[in-house]
Amino acid sequence: SWGHPSMDGVAAAPCCRPRPLSQAATPRPAVDVVWMHNGWEMIVPMMQRRLDEIETHACTVRQASYSEEGELQLESLAGAHVLVPAMAFVTEERLAAAGDGLALVYQPAVDTSRIDVEACRARGIPVCHAPGSNANALAEAIVMLMLAAAEWE
């Protein structure tokens, strides 16, 4: 655990500890979190509202921009401290577009196959994900499929 309720269940291997954004204790720098997925836009204001409930937070959550053709606009990643790709790809080009302040790629799911982990490692950017986070949902889905299959017989 990272010691914060919003990060419970996230693997915290030594290689996945985020770099400090600033050595100064006060004032804390604003952390710019970019939701990269072109979908589930309702998550962004929900995340911001939950963060706003924490009196001492200094985070803003914003949505990456996409063209009408569905292409990620690289300039919308500029200045990000944290990338949350969800289903989006994290490539060397996208890491470069985020800039030197990028401190973490956080995948709120199990799969990291869309993240160029080697490019992140080369830049010293930790990649964290949530292994096992969907175990209960998966077990429930399997039981429901078994019940549905049994009913068809």
Side-chain angles (χ1 to χ4, degrees):
S1 174
W2 290 91
H4 190 278
S6 67
M7 297 295 278
D8 283 348
V10 175
C15 66
C16 292
R17 302 239 187 257
R19 330 183 267 225
L21 294 173
S22 170
Q23 298 302 323
T26 51
R28 288 179 35 195
V31 177
D32 184 17
V33 179
V34 178
W35 176 262
M36 293 177 63
H37 183 54
N38 190 13
W40 306 335
E41 288 84 7
M42 77 295 258
I43 296 271
V44 173
M46 289 171 59
M47 289 170 62
Q48 189 66 57
R49 278 194 302 273
R50 292 300 300 265
L51 284 167
D52 290 344
E53 293 173 6
I54 303 169
E55 195 172 303
T56 58
H57 92 86
C59 295
T60 56
V61 183
R62 61 186 171 90
Q63 171 78 42
S65 299
Y66 283 81
S67 69
E68 289 184 21
E69 295 79 30
E71 292 295 320
L72 178 80
Q73 302 297 297
L74 292 175
E75 62 274 7
S76 70
L77 302 179
H81 296 113
V82 179
L83 294 180
V84 183
M87 298 297 289
F89 287 92
V90 177
T91 62
E92 172 60 38
E93 179 183 41
R94 292 174 178 191
L95 293 170
D100 293 336
L102 186 60
L104 176 67
V105 174
Y106 172 65
Q107 177 65 301
V110 175
D111 186 26
T112 59
S113 64
R114 292 173 180 245
I115 300 170
D116 187 341
V117 176
E118 288 305 314
C120 292
R121 184 175 291 129
R123 290 175 167 272
I125 300 167
V127 175
C128 296
H129 63 114
S133 61
N134 64 345
N136 288 344
L138 180 60
E140 291 168 359
I142 290 170
V143 169
M144 294 306 295
L145 289 170
M146 289 171 29
L147 290 171
E151 182 153 318
W152 284 100
E153 289 186 24

